[in-house]
Amino acid sequence: MKRIYLDHNATAPINSDVLKTMLPYFDQKFGNASSVHSFGRETSEAIAKAREQVASLLGAEPANIVFTSGGTESDNFAVKGIAYANEKKGKHIITSQIEHHAVLNTCQFLEKRGFEVTYLKVDKYGKVDLDQLRDSIRKDTIIITVMHANNEIGTIQDIDEIGRIAAEKGVYFHTDAVQSCGKIPVDVVKSGVTLLSMSAHKIYGPKGVGALYIKKGTRILPLQHGGHHESNRRAGTENVPGIVGLGKACELAQKSMEGNERKLVDLRDRLQSQLVERIEDTIVNGHPTDRLPNTLNMCFRYVEGESMIMMLDMKGVAVSSGSACTSGSLDPSHVLLAIGLSHEVAHGSLRFSLGVENTREDMDYVAEVLPEIVQRLRKMSALT
Ligand code: PLP
């Protein structure tokens, strides 16, 4: 049976050129990048090159990139690092209701330690309420953390405007760009962001490595203490193969972004229009246009997302409902509730997140098998 992978927002397969670039750094070029001998120089040069590749994708200076273990660490570093370095100025944080749990749970952790957090509402498309943002900024606000693109519904926020508002008020602005980096243009200077999180495994790079952009002059405390790695911002011997892989993935993403965007929008819209046409009582979630090119989130009324996932899996199709981190829990997605869906409707959601290896035939196959699955489940459902 052919297997069709449509869960790229959870993780993407590694690109073969990325893998090839990484391999020598496991055995032949294994030096510790802090060592002064040639083995060390070889790896420290590789890290410097990767730093340039990441910086180039973000429009940043290489010196402002810190390598981390991925999006989760970058988010924790940004929010806790700013909170603890600036608590004398204030203890107020602004975020949105639809952030990834790497940000939401970090904010909740800080709330238990005396910080105050405002959770901005979003509209039915998942766009943050900018008026509420302006009204929420106080004298003691130290950071605004709002994601660039949502992992579940794909809605893209106007980070240029949020950056302007933050700069006007002299507040740091962090954006979680784990889902947008490499998929759509990101420019830290144009957006006026102070901090930006990204991760390699969402853009055909390896798992367990990412980066945090930190604007020069930002007051931030490191989370990890130890050696002088990453200019004293993140201690620990560098994951050289991972960092080299992240750099290569960024280089490839930058080169192929426009072509990939066009291809993915075409595939996504082909799937969306066929599903909407063939299945009654569906809702397409997320913004109609300001949406990640690869993301389609739909609710199918009167059925459970989990049952559809299992039946699609038996047909060789891998999708998810909500985010991978919340599946396994019976709570409906906090993102779908925030855009105003009822618990019952939110339970019937599926996320199709496409990747560059997908084809039109893949879309047509899903559009052929899913209507039958929904029909069967609806016949069995107590909700119909
Ligand atoms: N932020 C967003 C928006 C994500 O989608 C993810 C991963 O799903 C993360 C953060 C966490 O990234 P990582 O898996 O690299 O820790």
Side-chain angles (χ1 to χ4, degrees):
M1 184 172 56
K2 188 180 176 201
R3 289 166 82 212
I4 300 175
Y5 186 76
L6 299 179
D7 203 9
H8 293 78
N9 287 8
T11 196
I14 196 159
N15 172 287
S16 56
D17 284 339
V18 171
L19 180 60
K20 249 187 250 154
T21 313
M22 291 170 66
L23 286 176
Y25 292 91
F26 285 103
D27 52 0
Q28 297 146 37
K29 303 181 180 188
F30 59 84
N32 185 322
S34 302
S35 302
V36 288
H37 46 63
S38 66
F39 291 83
R41 284 201 305 277
E42 194 163 64
T43 46
S44 67
E45 279 160 19
I47 292 176
K49 180 172 175 199
R51 208 182 299 281
E52 279 172 19
Q53 288 164 317
V54 175
S56 169
L57 179 67
L58 306 179
E61 289 297 323
N64 298 340
I65 302 297
V66 178
F67 292 114
T68 65
S69 65
T72 302
E73 184 188 326
S74 296
D75 286 344
N76 272 265
F77 184 6
V79 180
K80 287 182 197 158
I82 291 292
Y84 287 130
N86 297 278
E87 56 186 331
K88 283 211 180 93
K89 182 194 167 201
K91 291 190 133 191
H92 180 231
I93 296 167
I94 300 176
T95 188
S96 84
Q97 290 180 346
I98 62 164
E99 296 301 304
H100 188 271
H101 283 107
V103 167
L104 281 181
N105 289 346
T106 300
C107 286
Q108 280 163 21
F109 168 88
L110 290 168
E111 268 180 311
K112 289 193 189 119
R113 283 154 186 84
F115 288 84
E116 218 184 305
V117 183
T118 300
Y119 297 89
L120 300 174
K121 293 200 183 81
V122 294
D123 66 12
K124 64 177 179 178
Y125 299 122
K127 286 268 195 182
V128 161
D129 184 336
L130 294 181
D131 290 328
Q132 193 199 357
L133 169 63
R134 281 188 200 91
D135 293 345
S136 303
I137 299 174
R138 317 188 312 212
K139 268 209 180 80
D140 62 341
T141 306
I142 46 175
I143 184 170
I144 298 167
T145 170
V146 172
M147 71 200 317
H148 188 195
N150 184 266
N151 45 306
E152 294 189 39
I153 57 175
T155 296
I156 300 166
Q157 305 295 340
D158 188 354
I159 56 167
D160 294 1
E161 188 55 28
I162 299 174
R164 255 193 299 279
I165 297 169
E168 231 174 75
K169 302 280 184 182
V171 175
Y172 288 143
F173 172 36
H174 166 246
T175 193
D176 173 341
V178 166
Q179 291 292 347
S180 60
C181 265
K183 294 181 189 167
I184 55 172
V186 172
D187 184 325
V188 290
V189 176
K190 186 165 159 268
S191 307
V193 299
T194 326
L195 306 118
L196 179 144
S197 302
M198 56 112 59
S199 178
H201 73 109
K202 311 289 185 182
I203 54 168
Y204 312 99
K207 292 169 186 57
V209 61
L212 180 67
Y213 159 79
I214 309 175
K215 190 177 173 180
K216 194 171 174 219
T218 304
R219 282 168 60 90
I220 184 163
L221 282 187
L223 295 189
Q224 280 179 209
H225 301 91
H228 296 297
H229 312 87
E230 297 295 287
S231 307
N232 293 320
R233 293 169 297 188
R234 201 259 190 188
T237 301
E238 297 87 347
N239 165 12
V240 182
I243 289 170
V244 166
L246 168 63
K248 187 69 184 176
C250 288
E251 182 198 306
L252 296 178
Q254 198 173 356
K255 278 191 195 144
S256 54
M257 191 180 300
E258 258 182 60
N260 287 348
E261 256 189 279
R262 264 197 308 276
K263 176 187 168 170
L264 290 166
V265 166
D266 172 68
L267 292 180
R268 182 197 67 191
D269 292 353
R270 186 183 182 96
L271 178 61
Q272 178 177 324
S273 59
Q274 292 187 77
L275 292 180
V276 169
E277 198 185 292
R278 293 183 191 176
I279 307 175
E280 277 177 21
D281 284 323
T282 59
I283 302 166
V284 176
N285 299 310
H287 197 278
T289 51
D290 293 343
R291 182 154 44 114
L292 285 174
N294 77 323
T295 305
L296 170 62
N297 187 307
M298 289 179 70
C299 285
F300 301 84
R301 293 189 79 120
Y302 317 120
V303 277
E304 289 282 334
E306 301 297 315
S307 317
M308 287 187 280
I309 290 176
M310 285 191 300
M311 290 177 77
L312 278 171
D313 194 30
M314 287 193 278
K315 299 273 185 192
V317 181
V319 299
S320 74
S321 72
S323 65
C325 313
T326 50
S327 65
S329 103
L330 285 176
D331 294 334
S333 142
H334 66 290
V335 177
L336 298 181
L337 296 183
I339 62 171
L341 299 183
S342 66
H343 279 238
E344 179 204 315
V345 173
H347 269 304
S349 82
L350 285 186
R351 177 185 71 181
F352 308 88
S353 49
L354 283 43
V356 290
E357 78 283 5
N358 291 135
T359 62
R360 288 181 160 193
E361 289 70 40
D362 293 346
M363 302 303 109
D364 296 347
Y365 177 72
V366 177
E368 196 186 297
V369 297
L370 187 56
E372 219 179 276
I373 290 175
V374 173
Q375 203 181 20
R376 266 177 49 203
L377 289 170
R378 279 183 178 164
K379 273 198 191 134
M380 294 188 279
S381 168
L383 298 168
T384 37

